[in-house]
Amino acid sequence: MTETLTTPAAGSATGDPARPYLSATGMRGGYGKADILHGCTLNVDKGQIAVIVGPNGAGKSTAMKAVFGMLPLREGRVTLDGQDITTLSPQERVRRGMGFVPQVNNVFPSMSVEENLEMGAFIRRDEIAETMQQVYDLFPILRDKRRQPAGELSGGQRQQVAVGRALMTRPSLLMLDEPTAGVSPIVMDELFDRIIEIARSGISILMVEQNARQALEIADIGYVLVQGTNRFTDSGQALLADPEVRRTFLGG
Amino acid sequence: MDILNAIVAILNFVVIPAAAYGAQLALGALGVTLIYGILRFSNFAHGDTMAFGTAITILVTWALQAAGIGLGPLPTALLALPVGIAATAVLVLLTDRAVYRFYRVQKAAPIILVMASVGVMFVMNGLTRLVIGVNEQQFADGARFVIDVRSFREMTGLAEGLALKTTQLLTVVIAALVVWALFWFLNRTKSGKAMRAYSDNEDLALLSGIDPEKVVRLTWIIAASLATIAGVLYGLDKAFRPFNYFQILLPIFAAAIVGGLGNPLGAIAGGFLVAFSEVAITYPWLKIAGYLAPGWQPEGLLQLLGTEYKFAVSFVILIVVLLFRPTGLFRGKSV
Amino acid sequence: MSSNRQAAAVSPWRAPILFAILALLFVMEGTMRNAMFSGSWNTALGILNMGLISAITAMGVNMQWGYAGLFNVGVVGFLALGGLAPVLIALPPVEGAWSAGGSRLLIALAVGLGTLALAAQAWKRLSSGRGLAVTAILLAGFVLYRWLFDPAATAIEANNPARYGNLGGLGLPVLLSWAVGGLFAAAAAWAVGKVALGLRSDYLAIATLGIGEIIVAMLRNEDWLARGVKNVSSIPRPVPYEIDLQQNPDFVDFAGRWGFAAAEASGIWVKLCYMSLFLVVLLLVILLAELALKSPWGRMMRAIRDNETAAEAMGKDVTARHLQIFVIGSAVIGIAGAMMITLDGLMAPTGYNPLRYTFLIWVMVIVGGSGNNWGAALGAVLIWFLWIKAEVWGPALIGALTAPLPDGALKAHLLDSAAHMRFIAMGLLLLLVLRFAPRGLVPEK
């Protein structure tokens, strides 16, 4: 059933098959004068889960924002499905198939769950009922709470609304900025399960995580960022097994 | 019988006037609260926007009256209202383009926008003076009463009379229709939901592809319509004097804050709360006490506060809300 | 507000040149008789004196806005409250008013204040049922207050109502009332600030809008206080009366030597006396304000204004500082209000129009240069001059513009409405300065 969460176009890559679906290379930039990113590179293949981890202040969230066009780049290039999107606005990137779930303030608190999902699909002109059913199938609790204002839900439920809202545009790439921040471990496992499920339907996932160990467990590819550059890049399992990564970033 | 008389007197002197006034305040407060919700500032020019819309409506009303066009028992002003709304909408859209948009793009502090709205207030005040002058204008026509005191007495045989002015009934009916239409728009249409979404979370609305300028334009058009309707109803019910529209700003702000700035439902509740408090506190209860406790001969009028201090009622309500619940009764935007 | 703080440096000559131009305008008003100027020193000094009072008012507003970013929309109220002071301090006591109900009235006011204080204490101290207790205290206090107050006020107002009907004053020197006017305004500002500060910035604006309207309504309706709309006239002056000067042979002689008729010279002399007094107050206020700004306290105020969050994080009590500056600024406005009534010699509450006494002051501060005392003073005198002259220039301009039009309803309407043009002009000026030169004519250093 989750097969149809993505757009039909996203199913068949039109770009260079050798190239990753999302490719952000050599990103350099920051807010104001000082750069935060110093040549950061992130690639995600179709249906892959890519996780960015690293110490505080490493520029993880900044890298996400750069990929999404919320931060002007001094250098570097972002391509999606082989097309250069470096200069596009975030809104335009949403139209090209990117979905973004911010870390905080990621729902419309006074609007009902259903309205939140509707707003997620704001740019769509076609029928959205089917996509909404798919989101409800993915997060059944939201179906029960669909008339409730999102602001009244628990933290975990609110994150589900936020992810659901981003899925409403049927993105081919879903970007999550610390989706498990502030939720209980049980809810975190549940959320990760759902994220795996979303990835299996063919949607690429790029996410930043504080809970590095658990996130790398599910990651097809992990990026360890330090001071705005890639320190380690490998599969999640390999990174977990790497003694240096364990010692420096995973606390032994 | 005395109980009946007391009830009729309360209806006549408190409930009916307060309901009409409350409806006018509610419409005004809705405009203020919508602008606050979307543009994030308290619009001090709202009173003068009401005055401008009413002035245009009055001019058109006079033209229609001169041409012999009317609505029979209903005031001709209703026919002129769409023109007033259109003119006011054009004016506020131009204002937004020339003044507010600059600060919005700059992401200026809200207080700068408030300050700019004071400049706009000055200009609009001048425009209204230019269009219609500063004197009191009467423009109500049609049937004056739905029920007048004499026929009510004859009908019921009570000593106490009851009057229901056409404008009072009209105010409540129109306000109810407008509020219904507004809520239908906000809760049922895609554009209305986009407005609420933008008010809730501007950044997320942008991420969802909602065009902020479109939302802002829509907000101004709705606020101009609400302001003109509120202003015309207020003018029909009382009389049109531009300065009164500056003074009504305080009860309107009080209503919007009591209800929670940015919360439309709260603005309506706030409007009626302020209106009923104001009328009840400034009404001399002596007559009603006479019906209910015939033996009691109190000194004075049993008036808690003179009508000249009616604005103090709004102020006290405002202060109490600020002291104890700054987000308002219905939880508006955070402080 | 802080976006343009670090803009390019301004020429040090800018302020002196602007002040020179302003002085030239007044000299032209005093000496040139033509379509634009009256050629009367009496007129010129009259405008200047009101301009100086506006400058002191603007100084108060500038402290609140320029130093702390507080938006006071109730300037008219604080001015009016300050204006009450000359009436209550300088007027001779009204015969029979105190015996009619003076002490009962004072007790009533004390009961009123006591009730509020008691309610506040009850709210703080009680833990359970305090809502009920406070309501009961307030209700009982209100009934007691009205029982005491109403007969007293009625009795005072019945005392020779054609001439007095008010409590009268204490018969003290009128200059003392200027300080008292400041205290009155400060007390009101403290009460409003206590409630509305520390919340969202718009709330103070709305609350001050309310207190402004209420103070003016009070002055209009409380006849026992200052005769309400019946006005109080012949408030004592701190300077000589024209008529006395004209009857003084020495003065007539002195005027003759300068080539002035006694009547004209006496008017000019009185206005010069007022001007000197006002200048002393203005310069004193500027001096104190500048000293305060350069002190650690002033640096802290500016730090708070430029970044409230950072200042708060550094442990500064932002709300308490704001309350302080709000009270001080309002006190300055109150002093100006007392000075204004002293200058007019008349307390006429119907004259307190918010457009003139709140929003025009704001135009002065913004145009002059918010945050800069000299700028605010310059802006105040300049805007006041333009505001007065616009009454003459506006119709002249419209007349010139409409001269080619045929006579008719449109032309007549345009000519009639010229007087309203100055509202539009002032609004546009405010908007233009706010947008294109937000630092004003004389920017903050």
Side-chain angles (χ1 to χ4, degrees):
Chain A
M1 50 109 203
T2 42
E3 236 46 47
T4 43
L5 259 172
T6 103
T7 52
S12 61
T14 53
D16 181 356
R19 185 180 231 157
Y21 184 67
L22 170 85
S23 163
T25 47
M27 293 189 297
R28 195 175 285 277
Y31 312 96
K33 284 181 192 123
D35 281 352
I36 297 174
L37 301 176
H38 304 280
C40 165
T41 293
L42 301 166
N43 291 313
V44 191
D45 274 329
K46 266 253 67 69
Q48 252 191 351
I49 298 178
V51 174
I52 309 174
V53 296
N56 279 331
K60 302 185 297 278
S61 288
T62 311
M64 282 286 255
K65 285 186 177 141
V67 170
F68 195 60
M70 289 161 79
L71 179 83
L73 284 181
R74 220 181 303 284
E75 268 175 46
R77 217 162 88 91
V78 183
T79 65
L80 185 74
D81 201 9
Q83 292 175 325
D84 192 327
I85 57 166
T86 315
T87 56
L88 295 185
S89 69
Q91 286 79 14
E92 201 48 49
R93 289 176 208 224
V94 171
R95 284 174 214 277
R96 296 290 182 96
M98 293 171 88
F100 184 65
V101 181
Q103 183 185 343
V104 289
N105 297 329
N106 49 20
V107 297
F108 300 111
S110 81
M111 301 178 83
S112 70
V113 169
E114 192 165 288
E115 286 172 330
N116 265 275
L117 298 183
E118 276 177 52
M119 285 298 107
F122 188 79
I123 52 170
R124 283 178 57 180
R125 293 273 166 267
D126 54 341
E127 193 49 54
I128 62 166
E130 198 188 340
T131 319
M132 200 177 281
Q133 285 314 314
Q134 288 157 3
V135 171
Y136 286 150
D137 290 342
L138 188 63
F139 301 116
I141 186 76
L142 298 188
R143 179 175 282 136
D144 304 334
K145 307 233 167 193
R146 65 181 183 278
R147 303 249 174 264
Q148 261 193 42
E152 291 174 7
L153 302 182
S154 70
Q157 291 166 351
R158 223 177 317 179
Q159 289 301 49
Q160 297 183 7
V161 176
V163 174
R165 186 204 62 84
L167 287 173
M168 286 303 292
T169 46
R170 286 184 293 179
S172 46
L173 169 72
L174 183 63
M175 302 170 63
L176 305 155
D177 193 352
E178 299 199 15
T180 63
V183 304
S184 68
I186 299 167
V187 174
M188 183 174 76
D189 288 346
E190 166 84 20
L191 261 174
F192 280 155
D193 285 349
R194 296 289 153 261
I195 289 167
I196 295 171
E197 202 172 317
I198 293 167
R200 286 211 186 108
S201 74
I203 298 177
S204 312
I205 307 271
L206 175 63
M207 68 174 177
V208 167
E209 256 304 327
Q210 273 304 338
N211 301 306
R213 192 182 292 270
Q214 292 86 338
L216 287 176
E217 301 257 357
I218 66 161
D220 296 306
I221 182 161
Y223 293 94
V224 181
L225 289 197
V226 178
Q227 293 190 334
T229 50
N230 301 62
R231 175 69 63 86
F232 302 99
T233 306
D234 212 326
S235 73
Q237 293 305 328
L239 286 175
L240 283 171
D242 185 326
E244 200 188 341
V245 173
R246 290 173 64 105
R247 188 165 41 79
T248 346
F249 302 110
L250 304 176
Chain B
M1 218 50 186
D2 275 351
I3 300 276
L4 273 181
N5 275 319
I7 291 172
V8 169
I10 291 176
L11 277 176
N12 190 28
F13 293 109
V14 178
V15 175
I16 292 175
Y21 181 44
Q24 292 148 11
L25 285 186
L27 291 179
L30 269 175
V32 165
T33 223
L34 280 179
I35 291 176
Y36 189 88
I38 302 292
L39 291 126
R40 313 270 194 272
F41 75 96
S42 309
N43 181 16
F44 273 74
H46 200 74
D48 282 283
T49 310
M50 286 168 63
F52 178 82
T54 313
I56 298 292
T57 308
I58 292 176
L59 290 185
V60 177
T61 306
W62 285 342
L64 289 173
Q65 286 168 345
I69 303 169
L71 282 175
L74 295 177
T76 314
L78 292 187
L79 216 52
L81 192 56
V83 184
I85 290 176
T88 314
V90 169
L91 180 70
V92 294
L93 286 174
L94 286 175
T95 314
D96 183 72
R97 184 77 183 68
V99 181
Y100 299 120
R101 197 169 78 163
F102 172 77
Y103 301 103
R104 191 159 61 241
V105 172
Q106 270 205 330
K107 293 205 180 300
I111 202 73
I112 298 288
L113 281 153
V114 176
M115 182 69 73
S117 82
V118 166
V120 170
M121 181 191 84
F122 244 103
V123 175
M124 283 190 177
N125 189 284
L127 282 178
T128 308
R129 286 158 173 261
L130 211 60
V131 168
I132 207 161
V134 291
N135 298 325
E136 188 167 305
Q137 310 286 352
Q138 288 287 354
F139 62 107
D141 55 7
R144 215 165 125 55
F145 289 103
V146 181
I147 305 168
D148 65 56
V149 172
R150 225 182 60 191
S151 48
F152 180 84
R153 282 206 189 108
E154 280 165 11
M155 219 154 59
T156 57
L158 287 171
E160 197 56 47
L162 183 135
L164 178 62
K165 284 196 283 180
T166 316
T167 53
Q168 290 170 329
L169 184 64
L170 211 56
T171 297
V172 175
V173 170
I174 290 180
L177 284 174
V178 167
V179 166
W180 174 81
L182 179 70
F183 276 79
W184 177 83
F185 173 80
L186 287 176
N187 292 324
R188 292 278 175 271
T189 67
K190 201 170 172 183
S191 302
K193 286 179 191 175
M195 268 179 72
R196 283 168 54 217
Y198 186 88
S199 163
D200 250 18
N201 188 337
E202 195 177 327
D203 295 329
L204 198 61
L206 288 177
L207 287 184
S208 307
I210 293 169
D211 178 359
E213 287 304 309
K214 227 167 160 176
V215 167
V216 167
R217 275 200 299 276
L218 204 56
T219 308
W220 278 118
I221 292 172
I222 295 173
S225 314
L226 289 169
T228 310
I229 295 169
V232 168
L233 292 176
Y234 183 72
L236 281 173
D237 192 18
K238 311 263 162 48
F240 177 78
R241 233 187 100 230
F243 189 65
N244 289 350
Y245 286 77
F246 171 77
Q247 288 195 313
I248 203 180
L249 203 54
L250 181 63
I252 284 179
F253 274 135
I257 291 178
V258 168
L261 268 177
N263 183 327
L265 205 63
I268 296 167
F272 283 101
L273 180 73
V274 169
F276 272 89
S277 314
E278 201 176 281
V279 174
I281 286 173
T282 54
Y283 176 69
W285 291 88
L286 182 66
K287 189 181 208 173
I288 288 159
Y291 286 123
L292 294 179
W296 188 36
Q297 287 290 329
E299 280 176 72
L301 296 167
L302 293 184
Q303 188 182 21
L304 290 172
L305 210 59
T307 41
E308 58 275 12
Y309 290 119
K310 58 181 181 187
F311 292 117
V313 177
S314 317
F315 184 72
V316 170
I317 292 176
L318 185 69
I319 293 294
V320 169
V321 170
L322 290 190
L323 275 175
F324 299 108
R325 211 182 157 101
T327 47
L329 300 179
F330 288 74
R331 191 139 27 92
K333 302 259 152 259
S334 60
V335 182
Chain C
M1 197 171 67
S2 53
S3 57
N4 293 292
R5 291 284 168 214
Q6 266 94 38
V10 183
S11 156
W13 290 101
R14 188 154 166 181
I17 289 173
L18 285 168
F19 271 102
I21 291 172
L22 187 61
L24 188 68
L25 277 175
F26 276 96
V27 170
M28 286 160 78
E29 178 70 26
T31 54
M32 295 167 69
R33 177 181 283 281
N34 54 28
M36 293 190 59
F37 298 106
S38 66
S40 151
W41 278 109
N42 261 311
T43 311
L45 288 173
I47 300 175
L48 179 61
N49 280 340
M50 236 355 253
L52 289 174
I53 290 178
S54 303
I56 295 168
T57 317
M59 215 60 67
V61 172
N62 186 38
M63 288 174 187
Q64 297 172 342
W65 173 251
Y67 296 9
L70 303 177
F71 190 8
N72 177 354
V73 192
V75 177
V76 64
F78 296 108
L79 268 176
L81 202 56
L84 190 58
V87 177
L88 294 183
I89 296 297
L91 274 186
V94 168
E95 213 174 304
W98 280 96
S99 54
S103 37
R104 183 170 183 152
L105 195 97
L106 285 185
I107 295 170
L109 294 180
V111 165
L113 286 176
T115 304
L116 290 179
L118 192 65
Q121 282 304 315
W123 183 261
K124 258 188 232 153
R125 299 276 167 81
L126 295 177
S127 48
S128 63
R130 59 181 185 173
L132 215 61
V134 168
T135 314
I137 291 172
L138 287 175
L139 269 179
F142 182 77
V143 171
L144 182 62
Y145 165 77
R146 287 292 296 264
W147 179 77
L148 284 164
F149 176 86
D150 288 1
T154 313
I156 293 170
E157 284 166 14
N159 174 39
N160 195 358
R163 272 200 72 194
Y164 299 115
N166 63 331
L167 205 47
L170 300 173
L172 294 170
V174 70
L175 286 182
L176 178 70
S177 74
W178 295 4
V180 176
L183 286 180
F184 283 179
W190 181 82
V192 178
K194 199 83 186 132
V195 177
L197 284 170
L199 300 171
R200 189 172 33 214
S201 52
D202 315 32
Y203 280 179
L204 180 73
I206 294 166
T208 48
L209 174 79
I211 194 77
E213 281 188 36
I214 288 165
I215 290 172
V216 173
M218 192 186 79
L219 280 182
R220 277 186 196 159
N221 296 298
E222 296 305 313
D223 284 13
W224 59 270
L225 195 59
R227 301 193 75 221
V229 292
K230 290 183 290 184
N231 300 350
V232 173
S233 54
S234 61
I235 291 164
R237 273 186 182 184
V239 300
Y241 285 85
E242 284 88 347
I243 193 79
D244 295 336
L245 288 174
Q246 287 163 26
Q247 285 162 358
N248 180 342
D250 289 344
F251 181 80
V252 175
D253 191 42
F254 169 78
R257 265 186 280 137
W258 286 82
F260 282 106
E264 194 188 356
S266 63
I268 293 175
W269 181 257
V270 168
K271 289 191 177 73
L272 282 174
C273 291
Y274 271 124
M275 186 188 81
S276 317
L277 280 173
F278 295 168
L279 270 178
V280 167
V281 176
L282 177 62
L283 292 175
L284 206 63
V285 171
I286 293 184
L287 178 75
L288 290 176
E290 290 287 316
L291 284 179
L293 258 194
K294 291 195 177 74
S295 71
W297 179 84
R299 279 196 296 278
M300 179 182 60
M301 287 313 298
R302 284 200 270 195
I304 290 176
R305 178 197 61 190
D306 291 342
N307 194 336
E308 234 170 79
T309 330
E312 203 141 41
M314 281 158 59
K316 309 283 183 218
D317 188 346
V318 173
T319 307
R321 292 311 119 204
H322 278 173
L323 183 61
Q324 215 169 38
I325 195 77
F326 183 65
V327 168
I328 296 173
S330 299
V332 172
I333 299 171
I335 293 171
M339 292 165 65
M340 196 170 81
I341 293 304
T342 311
L343 174 67
D344 291 345
L346 169 79
M347 175 60 164
T350 43
Y352 287 112
N353 178 342
L355 280 178
R356 155 71 185 88
Y357 289 108
T358 294
F359 297 111
L360 197 62
I361 300 289
W362 273 101
V363 177
M364 294 168 177
V365 173
I366 300 291
V367 169
S370 38
N372 185 316
N373 292 312
W374 293 104
L378 176 88
V381 182
L382 178 69
I383 292 294
W384 178 246
F385 183 82
L386 293 177
W387 178 255
I388 292 296
K389 293 310 284 182
E391 241 177 347
V392 185
W393 295 349
L397 182 72
I398 298 281
L401 288 176
T402 54
L405 286 178
D407 285 339
L410 178 66
K411 187 172 175 178
H413 180 76
L414 285 176
L415 284 173
D416 279 349
S417 50
H420 307 316
M421 289 292 190
R422 56 183 189 166
F423 287 93
I424 300 181
M426 284 301 153
L428 286 178
L429 187 64
L430 176 65
L431 290 172
L432 288 173
V433 170
L434 205 55
R435 169 146 179 193
F436 295 107
R439 301 167 78 222
L441 285 176
V442 187
E444 187 183 357
K445 287 179 278 289

